[in-house]
Amino acid sequence: MSADNSGGESGMVWKSMIALAGGAAISLSGAGHAATAAPFQIPAVLHADQPGPVLSRHLQGQFAEHLGAGVYDGIWVGPDSAIPNTRGIRNDVAAALKAIKVPVVRWPGGCFADIYHWRDGIGAAAKRPVRKNDWWSGLESNAFGTHEYFDFVEQIGAESYVAINMATSTPSEMREWMDYITSSAKDSIADERRANGRQEPWKLGFVGIGNEAWGCGGAQTPEYFANEYRRFATFMHRNGSTFHMHNDNAALRVASGPNNDDVAWMDTVLKSAAPMMDAISLHYYTVFDGKWENRDKAGATGFPADHWNHILYQASRMDGVLRMHEAVMDRHDPQKRIGLYVDEWGTWYAPEAGTEPGFLRQQNTLRDALVTAMTLNIFHAHADRVKMANIAQAVNVLQAMILTDGAKMARTPTYHVFAMYTPFQDATALPLEVSAPMLKSGANSFPAFSASAARGKDGRVHVAVANADADRGYRLSVKLDGIRAGKVSGQVLTAAQTDAHNVPGAAEQVRPVRFDGAKLVGGALVLDIPEKSVVVVALDQN
Ligand code: AHR
């Protein structure tokens, strides 16, 4: 195994700091991984006096769908459950999500949103219809509906993001739901809400119009969707939008955007409907070989050695996919008024043995922690356009924060990375010039590590490094421009095994601990980043 960091590109600004092509490729030789080699020396420069865009807190958003145990058992156990709860919502899960300052939760789907009729989920619980969950199998009791969702986001301190049913519903059904949620008038639908126990309107942050309209949302063509979007968006009655003088709807409208690298979708929809949207979504899932049809072919744990790099390479592709869509968006919206919301992202593996395949339950390992940190670093590098992201999903589904098993709960490695990154919420990006050697995934290569830096709302400078190199640590010598740092402290997340993970009810195997590999030497920050690790440090100014 060899590596050469001599040829990496340098001189990047914040925008391209994780696009580190140029170094020679390193191949990964085996699982269990070679003994730790001496760290490579990597020079870097942090420009603390050159603030970039704000890293919206919404980049750390979550997604909770009526799918498997994502809502039922995972979030909702009902008020009569023996599992401690507040009005039916699990106390342990709510507390864990509150602790990572979840800024926004997208709900109720996903594909489920495309078959959801909101009236099924209001009124007396005993009278709510039970329906087949036609997308994900099992039965939908509708016990968790509009009131329960808003109670949940209020309990965890998050904003609301409701995906309306555009595929099997009408603008009038959408309009009534919006009024039910937001009307403060003495109108009948607001009175119905009051009769159901909620006097004041709720604050509605974001409304998704369509979900995967190219797929489970009706297999629409982009031209057809753009027309339908315009029709639905008209009846959203967004404050200040075309036609409307007296609107009371402040929620932002999010159009159903492309899958992966489908720039034709982006182009066609923007050409027709850009003035009527505030944001457009993008869905990008990490599958080991990049092929959607193989999403359930590779395991979350016990994977072959080369799958470490394959998954991390596929995760790194997010950067290129964002660039492609940004180029199209910049043509239609050079002022960058329209946000790009990556409102579904994360790893997708074979379902855990013994579970219902439609429930998409998978374990979550140190590898997922690296995917998380690498992806958040990518979002930071695109923060002038990417204003929201929602990992799929919050609890028990795909790359989850939390796994539950009856009354037991585990915080996953992904959860811990979100916790480590909370100082980046609404922080201001700072340029960090650094280059990395490349790792190999088959014929492809990707940077061995990525990094980002920002000045937090707490005034401190925060630096994050995701080292995807399973075999090698790196010594980053970061010259500090524009800051006189007096103290550095931080955390590291790593483990001996690449598939180390946490199990509900068992002692945590993967969790952040104090990082002793940072020191200030003269005007530089020296970071000894271990192999396969995530490190976040904070600098206090002198
Ligand atoms: O997150 C699981 C599913 O993935 C969502 O329902 C859908 O939008 C996507 O295909």
Side-chain angles (χ1 to χ4, degrees):
M1 178 175 319
S2 69
D4 173 8
N5 69 328
S6 59
E9 263 176 27
S10 61
M12 281 75 65
V13 293
W14 66 270
K15 174 79 179 167
S16 57
M17 63 196 167
I18 50 83
L20 303 163
I26 307 170
S27 63
L28 184 71
S29 60
H33 303 307
T36 307
F40 268 32
Q41 309 275 342
I42 307 273
V45 184
L46 171 67
H47 299 281
D49 49 358
Q50 294 176 25
V54 169
L55 308 176
S56 170
R57 64 187 179 283
H58 298 130
L59 295 175
Q60 295 180 28
Q62 301 286 329
F63 171 37
E65 179 168 13
H66 289 235
L67 189 177
V71 170
Y72 300 108
D73 295 341
I75 293 171
W76 176 261
V77 286
D80 301 328
S81 171
I83 297 174
N85 68 84
T86 302
R87 294 181 295 280
I89 291 159
R90 289 180 77 124
N91 290 346
D92 53 355
V93 170
L97 293 176
K98 193 171 180 182
I100 55 170
K101 301 184 176 157
V102 170
V104 60
V105 182
R106 177 172 179 255
W107 172 85
C111 297
F112 181 79
D114 299 314
I115 54 169
Y116 183 61
H117 296 284
W118 70 273
R119 281 199 164 277
D120 288 353
I122 58 167
K127 293 203 172 137
R128 297 186 191 178
V130 175
R131 302 198 190 279
K132 281 171 68 189
N133 186 329
D134 282 328
W135 279 118
W136 303 114
S137 77
L139 292 178
E140 170 57 55
S141 69
N142 282 300
F144 191 90
T146 301
H147 290 251
E148 293 77 19
Y149 165 72
F150 278 96
D151 191 14
F152 169 59
V153 290
E154 285 180 355
Q155 284 189 33
I156 66 169
E159 291 171 69
S160 56
Y161 179 2
V162 169
I164 64 104
N165 177 353
M166 185 196 196
T168 58
S169 150
T170 61
S172 107
E173 184 174 336
M174 173 196 74
R175 183 65 240 149
E176 284 183 13
W177 196 13
M178 300 299 95
D179 281 343
Y180 186 86
I181 293 168
T182 62
S183 175
S184 54
K186 275 302 291 173
D187 59 294
S188 300
I189 207 151
D191 280 346
E192 189 180 1
R193 183 194 67 229
R194 292 182 188 105
N196 284 333
R198 174 73 184 201
Q199 295 305 307
E200 297 305 315
W202 290 287
K203 190 166 183 304
L204 183 58
F206 308 89
V207 177
I209 302 182
N211 168 74
E212 299 198 346
W214 38 265
C216 64
Q220 303 175 44
T221 64
E223 292 82 7
Y224 183 84
F225 169 74
N227 281 340
E228 280 294 281
Y229 176 85
R230 290 164 62 108
R231 193 164 74 98
F232 273 74
T234 303
F235 300 101
M236 266 287 297
H237 296 189
R238 165 107 171 88
N239 279 354
S241 70
T242 334
F243 315 130
H244 302 303
M245 303 291 288
H246 304 292
N247 307 320
D248 55 2
N249 189 353
L252 300 188
R253 301 153 302 178
V254 187
S256 176
N259 185 38
N260 206 319
D261 56 4
D262 184 358
V263 286
W265 181 279
M266 179 66 90
D267 189 43
T268 305
V269 172
L270 286 181
K271 202 181 294 166
S272 170
M276 298 180 74
M277 67 182 71
D278 303 293
I280 186 162
S281 67
L282 165 70
H283 289 183
Y284 179 82
Y285 282 100
T286 298
V287 174
F288 80 104
D289 64 354
K291 294 192 180 120
W292 175 245
E293 61 274 21
N294 289 337
R295 65 195 179 284
D296 56 356
K297 302 279 187 299
T301 57
F303 44 82
D306 58 350
H307 277 212
W308 171 276
N309 274 18
H310 290 339
I311 281 288
L312 290 164
Y313 163 68
Q314 294 296 339
S316 78
R317 285 191 53 235
M318 177 74 84
D319 181 54
V321 169
L322 292 176
R323 283 169 195 273
M324 293 166 81
H325 291 301
E326 285 163 354
V328 178
M329 292 185 78
D330 287 351
R331 279 207 313 276
H332 292 282
D333 175 39
Q335 305 303 321
K336 298 191 193 293
R337 182 189 63 79
I338 299 172
L340 181 55
Y341 290 1
V342 189
D343 65 12
E344 289 186 29
W345 69 272
T347 50
W348 197 313
Y349 306 116
E352 200 171 300
T355 62
E356 160 63 43
F359 286 6
L360 307 185
R361 183 180 172 110
Q362 63 190 37
Q363 248 300 349
N364 189 300
T365 70
L366 178 64
R367 182 175 60 170
D368 297 274
L370 265 301
V371 168
T372 307
M374 180 190 288
T375 306
L376 291 175
N377 288 345
I378 291 170
F379 292 153
H380 292 177
H382 291 265
D384 58 344
R385 182 64 87 174
V386 180
K387 302 293 183 189
M388 187 191 287
N390 308 74
I391 190 170
Q393 299 192 7
V395 189
N396 288 335
V397 176
L398 297 176
Q399 195 182 342
M401 304 305 103
I402 289 170
L403 296 173
T404 65
D405 177 7
K408 295 175 285 191
M409 182 192 95
R411 299 174 302 174
T412 64
T414 295
Y415 174 96
H416 287 305
V417 174
F418 271 81
M420 292 167 77
Y421 272 68
T422 54
F424 287 94
Q425 292 194 5
D426 290 334
T428 301
L430 298 173
L432 178 59
E433 291 177 36
V434 65
S435 63
M438 305 297 280
L439 298 177
K440 294 284 285 179
S441 160
N444 303 303
S445 55
F446 66 105
F449 64 83
S450 73
S452 66
R455 188 178 295 279
K457 290 182 79 182
D458 57 3
R460 305 161 93 196
V461 169
H462 301 271
V463 179
V465 183
N467 184 9
D469 194 324
D471 296 330
R472 189 174 285 277
Y474 294 91
R475 170 167 291 176
L476 268 58
S477 295
V478 188
K479 181 171 172 287
L480 300 175
D481 275 2
I483 176 176
R484 282 170 57 88
K487 194 178 143 214
V488 57
S489 57
Q491 289 189 310
V492 58
L493 182 128
T494 187
Q497 298 300 321
T498 52
D499 72 343
H501 55 273
N502 298 331
V503 174
E508 276 193 333
Q509 300 301 305
V510 190
R511 63 188 312 185
V513 297
R514 197 183 72 209
F515 180 54
D516 292 324
K519 52 182 185 281
L520 292 165
V521 182
L525 167 68
V526 178
L527 297 172
D528 280 329
I529 308 290
E531 69 273 19
K532 55 178 179 345
S533 73
V534 178
V535 169
V536 178
V537 298
L539 294 170
D540 288 293
Q541 223 146 320
N542 246 345

